[in-house]
Amino acid sequence: QKEVEQNSGPLSVPEGAIASLNCTYSDRGSQSFFWYRQYSGKSPELIMFIYSNGDKEDGRFTAQLNKASQYVSLLIRDSQPSDSATYLCAVSNSSASKIIFGSGTRLSIRP
Amino acid sequence: KAGVTQTPRYLIKTRGQQVTLSCSPISGHRSVSWYQQTPGQGLQFLFEYFSETQRNKGNFPGRFSGRQFSNSRSEMNVSTLELGDSALYLCASSLTPGLAGATQGTQYFGPGTRLLVL
């Protein structure tokens, strides 16, 4: 079992709709959870982090964390073509010494 | 403010050779982390340096090593290159060590060095 799992996609969402990206992790001791956006040919960019159960909102982005289910998600409201990218879920290990990345979900927003 | 710079941007080596990659963090940032990104394994943590000391290390063989200088610039070295070392090598700089840089929103990635081993 991979430590951090994501559906590779592609996930195709119409412009203006809500994109929902999901991630599960195996280490129950993980404390911090991150979402990175990576455009094709570019470097990852940190867009959200969350460490408490529940929702955290930042503009059009909402991160959701459920530690009991070992599940973290990212919602993107009012999706725009510029949101088309690969989204990487990352989780800290239980000793908080490093970040472990999922393989990423490719999101495509169709006009 | 200049961003994170990595040199060289592209590199072609042959099996058995060694390579040194360089990363200059954002001015004032003292933490530099290195990552390897491949289509098969994704993005994997190599190691982190803060104030010239290696703080954390990922699960890579000893052929992968690094160091950090007093000006916070960091170098990564891979000896005895293998075909599987072909990858995009990314460094990220942040103000503070460990995960604090990411949670404080001060973590920034460089453009990467694309290494091809033939």
Side-chain angles (χ1 to χ4, degrees), chain B residues 33-93:
Chain B
S33 299
W34 287 91
Y35 298 84
Q36 181 196 65
Q37 188 170 34
T38 61
Q41 298 298 317
L43 193 58
Q44 297 184 88
F45 170 76
L46 279 156
F47 31 65
E48 180 203 2
Y49 286 87
F50 181 81
S51 294
E52 302 178 65
T53 301
Q54 186 181 89
R55 282 180 44 88
N56 295 300
K57 191 176 190 304
N59 299 325
F60 278 80
R63 301 185 297 107
F64 292 82
S65 63
R67 59 179 176 168
Q68 187 178 35
F69 302 94
S70 58
N71 62 357
S72 295
R73 188 178 71 86
S74 178
E75 286 183 348
M76 190 194 104
N77 184 275
V78 188
S79 62
T80 319
L81 284 165
E82 301 177 358
L83 296 179
D85 296 333
S86 294
L88 178 66
Y89 290 89
L90 294 157
C91 75
S93 84

Side-chain angles (χ1 to χ4, degrees), chain A residues 54-67:
Chain A
D55 295 359
K56 179 181 178 183
E57 188 174 317
D58 184 1
R60 295 187 296 112
F61 298 96
T62 299
Q64 299 176 318
L65 175 62
N66 184 325
K67 289 187 178 180

Side-chain angles (χ1 to χ4, degrees), chain A residues 2 32 34 36 38 42-46 49 51 88 92-93 96-103, chain B residues 35 37 42-45 48 56-59 88 90 99 102-105 107 109-112:
Chain A
K2 284 188 176 179
S32 302
F34 307 86
Y36 290 79
Q38 187 172 25
K42 300 294 185 182
S43 303
E45 173 192 10
L46 178 66
F49 77 90
Y51 51 85
L88 302 169
S92 69
N93 62 347
S97 60
K98 61 181 180 180
I99 294 177
I100 302 163
F101 289 83
S103 56
Chain B
Y35 298 84
Q37 188 170 34
L43 193 58
Q44 297 184 88
F45 170 76
E48 180 203 2
N56 295 300
K57 191 176 190 304
N59 299 325
L88 178 66
L90 294 157
L99 301 179
T103 58
Q104 292 168 4
Q107 181 196 57
F109 279 85

